[in-house]
Amino acid sequence: MALARQDYIAPWWTYWLHNFPHLNLNFQPVDNTFRPEEWSYQQSLIFLACVAAVGLGFSLVVLAVYLSCLCCCRKEEEEETKRPDSCCVTWAAVITGLVICSAVGVGFYGNSETNDGVYQLTYSLYNANQTVSGIDNLVSDSLNSMQVGLEEHLARLDEIFSTRGDYGQTLRFMRQMADNIIQQLITLPNISKAKVDLATVAEQTAFVEYYRWLTYLLLLILDLVICLAACAGLAKQSRWLLILIMVFGVLTLILSWVSLGAGTATAVGTSDFCVSPDKFIVNNTREFLSADIAHYYLYCTQSLSNPFQQSLTTFQRSLTTMQIQVQGLLQFSLSIFPTAERDLLGIQRLLNSTEFNLHQLTALLDCRSLHKDYLDALLGVCYDGVEGLLYLCLFSLLTASAFCAMLCAVPRAWTLIASRERDYDDIDEEDPFNPQARRMAYNPNRSHIHSFCSYSSSLGSQTSLHPPPPATSSATTSEYMNQSMLFGGNPRYENVPLIGRGSPPPSFYPQTFKNIFSQYEDHLPIYD
């Protein structure tokens, strides 16, 4: 039936998903016709969701085995190895980050496409429900006018025209025309059930779609946050961030597989509907719509005649005949029965409003309006909706793979951070080439480091043990004076070794050099 459609052609991905193996929980093949009310078909969709559950279990088992091997079978690193190779961790982090970012982009696109398709479906359902509600209201109003309003006016006119048999016959003829109109309105299909179904489907679909869209949005944001936290944890070498990444990574892995199963089952079920939507609608509207009426709205071609045309024509002719009769009574009976004018004018107004309802009903019963809404709904679900679900399934698969790789790389990053901390603790603080040791040596807050002033005061006891030699000769006195001037005039530094002073050699000033040269001025050669 779907192949005969000229205005709707199911996309190729719906046929691809429709050909997925449909198996029940007993691994027996099931017909892939869209039958959501049957338990066997529901089992086929549950089976597809269980396949994703198997993938989740396999991923968790692989992670458990990997972590067990990493904890139990890891060899001790050699003592001379100062920095373990971090190339694998770096590349794993880079590739995982790129895959997660790509998956999040695909997820945002798929979530938007699915939301657009479902919005188009609900919008079309609301429009169709408005059309069906208008038809139901017009039919109800016309029936009420013919059965209640017209009968009241005719009953009063019977009393007024009781003495005139010809006028009474005209009133009976008008009742006959009103019965014809009522009969034609009753033969119209009772579409109140269709109105209730469309409203219910639209409301439930909008409700489910809102929470589906919100759930995927939160999942996408969670993936981005975990990816950023992983980058920050590796950059700052924070173990707490790595622990949080492990916890939320496992949670996100579970959610990814769950969303993959739910998305796959929903996509396959929707594709089963999109392959043959006409057949499903005809079977589900059989209670209140005949097959020819359903085909008229589903296909809406020129070769199909309007199934309501005969009823509408009879309605129009009966209404026109009644208007002619009322016009004649207004022309000839008011001169004899002036009290009949009020009821005759009331009947005329009622017939005019009924004729207006007839024109509106004719327009609403035309197939073009409902057929357009039907096509819009199909295009929204089968094109944008199913395509978006496929992108969401791809997002879930990429995310699950990326987080498996991330969870495998986090323990290695933990080991790398621990190794670097151990190597940092093994640094010799007494090593003079260690920058940290040099900082500690020049730290003024340490108690065993003395300032220059403390050396000046403490060395007094050492110099007191070595007094200046007695002045036995002028040469000795001159040597002693030279040493005194060399050490800045402070005799306490004369006999103190330079290594034990803890301070740099004294500075030389111009006056010092002048005093030294004055001692040897007499021995210098004189050149003419």
Side-chain angles (χ1 to χ4, degrees):
M1 187 176 295
L3 296 176
R5 300 296 300 272
Q6 299 296 327
D7 45 7
Y8 166 75
I9 299 176
W12 63 268
W13 51 79
T14 58
Y15 288 101
W16 178 63
L17 292 173
H18 179 66
N19 293 327
F20 268 26
H22 290 62
L23 303 175
N24 58 16
L25 298 180
N26 296 324
F27 300 96
Q28 297 176 352
V30 179
D31 185 15
N32 56 4
T33 304
F34 185 68
R35 294 168 287 111
E37 70 281 356
E38 296 186 7
W39 172 238
S40 59
Y41 181 79
Q42 294 175 4
Q43 288 183 5
S44 65
L45 299 181
I46 295 174
F47 180 82
L48 293 174
C50 291
V51 173
V54 172
L56 172 61
F58 179 75
S59 300
L60 294 179
V61 169
V62 169
L63 286 175
V65 172
Y66 174 78
L67 295 178
S68 299
C69 294
L70 191 65
C71 294
C72 300
C73 303
R74 186 179 58 188
K75 295 182 179 180
E76 295 293 336
E77 296 181 357
E78 298 181 358
E79 295 183 359
E80 63 271 10
T81 304
K82 290 294 183 181
R83 298 185 61 184
D85 187 14
S86 61
C87 181
C88 295
V89 177
T90 303
W91 280 106
V94 171
I95 294 175
T96 303
L98 292 177
V99 172
I100 291 178
C101 292
S102 302
V104 169
V106 172
F108 272 111
Y109 178 76
N111 198 30
S112 177
E113 284 292 303
T114 305
N115 184 257
D116 292 341
V118 176
Y119 174 78
Q120 189 172 351
L121 169 65
T122 55
Y123 183 78
S124 300
L125 288 175
Y126 281 125
N127 282 343
N129 183 69
Q130 186 177 2
T131 301
V132 172
S133 299
I135 294 173
D136 186 63
N137 293 333
L138 289 173
V139 172
S140 301
D141 187 51
S142 300
L143 282 174
N144 184 68
S145 299
M146 293 292 106
Q147 292 176 343
V148 179
L150 181 63
E151 185 60 30
E152 292 178 355
H153 290 294
L154 292 177
R156 285 193 293 266
L157 288 175
D158 282 338
E159 297 177 358
I160 296 173
F161 296 148
S162 59
T163 58
R164 293 291 302 267
D166 54 346
Y167 292 163
Q169 186 177 2
T170 302
L171 295 178
R172 287 192 295 273
F173 182 72
M174 292 176 63
R175 279 195 177 91
Q176 185 179 358
M177 295 295 101
D179 291 339
N180 289 336
I181 293 175
I182 293 172
Q183 185 64 30
Q184 299 304 321
L185 292 174
I186 292 176
T187 56
L188 293 176
N190 184 12
I191 56 178
S192 58
K193 187 176 186 306
K195 178 179 65 176
V196 174
D197 290 345
L198 289 175
T200 303
V201 171
E203 292 175 359
Q204 292 179 353
T205 303
F207 177 80
V208 173
E209 170 58 21
Y210 172 75
Y211 285 100
R212 184 212 62 80
W213 174 83
L214 183 61
T215 302
Y216 270 100
L217 182 63
L218 294 178
L219 182 60
L220 292 166
I221 295 175
L222 179 62
D223 291 345
L224 286 178
V225 171
I226 294 177
C227 184
L228 294 177
C231 295
L234 293 176
K236 294 187 176 182
Q237 299 182 1
S238 173
R239 292 189 175 185
W240 289 106
L241 284 178
L242 293 181
I243 294 175
L244 292 177
I245 290 169
M246 288 289 292
V247 174
F248 286 100
V250 173
L251 175 62
T252 307
L253 178 64
I254 296 174
L255 293 177
S256 299
W257 280 109
V258 171
S259 63
L260 178 61
T264 303
T266 305
V268 172
T270 307
S271 298
D272 293 337
F273 167 77
C274 292
V275 168
S276 57
D278 304 330
K279 182 179 179 180
F280 173 77
I281 292 176
V282 170
N283 293 333
N284 284 269
T285 57
R286 190 174 298 171
E287 297 180 0
F288 53 91
L289 285 181
S290 61
D292 57 340
I293 295 176
H295 282 80
Y296 172 70
Y297 287 108
L298 293 178
Y299 294 98
C300 193
T301 58
Q302 295 180 355
S303 60
L304 295 175
S305 59
N306 190 345
F308 308 110
Q309 187 62 45
Q310 184 177 358
S311 298
L312 295 175
T313 301
T314 304
F315 190 173
Q316 179 66 50
R317 289 176 180 176
S318 300
L319 192 62
T320 302
T321 302
M322 292 178 66
Q323 289 175 337
I324 293 173
Q325 297 297 324
V326 171
Q327 187 66 29
L329 291 175
L330 285 173
Q331 184 177 0
F332 297 104
S333 66
L334 292 182
S335 59
I336 304 173
F337 304 100
T339 56
E341 181 179 7
R342 179 180 177 182
D343 291 312
L344 290 174
L345 291 177
I347 293 175
Q348 190 177 41
R349 288 192 296 270
L350 188 147
L351 294 177
N352 291 335
S353 63
T354 304
E355 185 179 14
F356 179 75
N357 291 341
L358 174 62
H359 294 313
Q360 286 187 320
L361 184 62
T362 302
L364 292 178
L365 287 174
D366 188 78
C367 66
R368 287 173 291 183
S369 177
L370 288 175
H371 182 69
K372 181 180 181 301
D373 295 332
Y374 174 62
L375 288 182
D376 291 341
L378 286 181
L379 294 177
V381 172
C382 301
Y383 280 83
D384 294 339
V386 178
E387 183 184 4
L389 288 175
L390 288 177
Y391 280 109
L392 289 178
C393 291
L394 178 61
F395 152 74
S396 301
L397 185 60
L398 291 176
T399 304
S401 302
F403 275 99
C404 283
M406 176 183 290
L407 293 175
C408 291
V410 166
R412 180 60 181 168
W414 182 285
T415 305
L416 183 63
I417 294 174
S419 176
R420 288 180 177 177
E421 291 179 355
R422 183 174 62 252
D423 293 342
Y424 187 77
D425 293 336
D426 293 338
I427 295 175
D428 187 7
E429 295 182 357
E430 302 298 332
D431 186 2
F433 297 100
N434 181 14
Q436 184 180 7
R438 288 199 297 269
R439 288 194 300 268
M440 294 171 59
Y442 288 104
N443 189 355
N445 295 324
R446 295 188 177 268
S447 59
H448 64 278
I449 302 299
H450 300 282
S451 62
F452 175 78
C453 296
S454 63
Y455 273 105
S456 301
S457 59
S458 62
L459 292 177
S461 60
Q462 300 178 8
T463 56
S464 62
L465 298 177
H466 302 279
T472 57
S473 63
S474 60
T476 304
T477 304
S478 176
E479 182 180 357
Y480 175 74
M481 290 299 295
N482 291 337
Q483 292 179 359
S484 297
M485 289 184 293
L486 184 64
F487 292 102
N490 192 346
R492 290 184 297 174
Y493 290 99
E494 296 169 3
N495 298 320
V496 179
L498 291 176
I499 298 177
R501 292 175 183 168
S503 61
S507 302
F508 289 91
Y509 296 95
Q511 183 64 32
T512 303
F513 286 101
K514 181 184 291 186
N515 295 330
I516 293 174
F517 286 128
S518 62
Q519 299 293 331
Y520 300 94
E521 185 177 1
D522 297 334
H523 303 283
L524 292 177
I526 300 174
Y527 298 95
D528 293 335

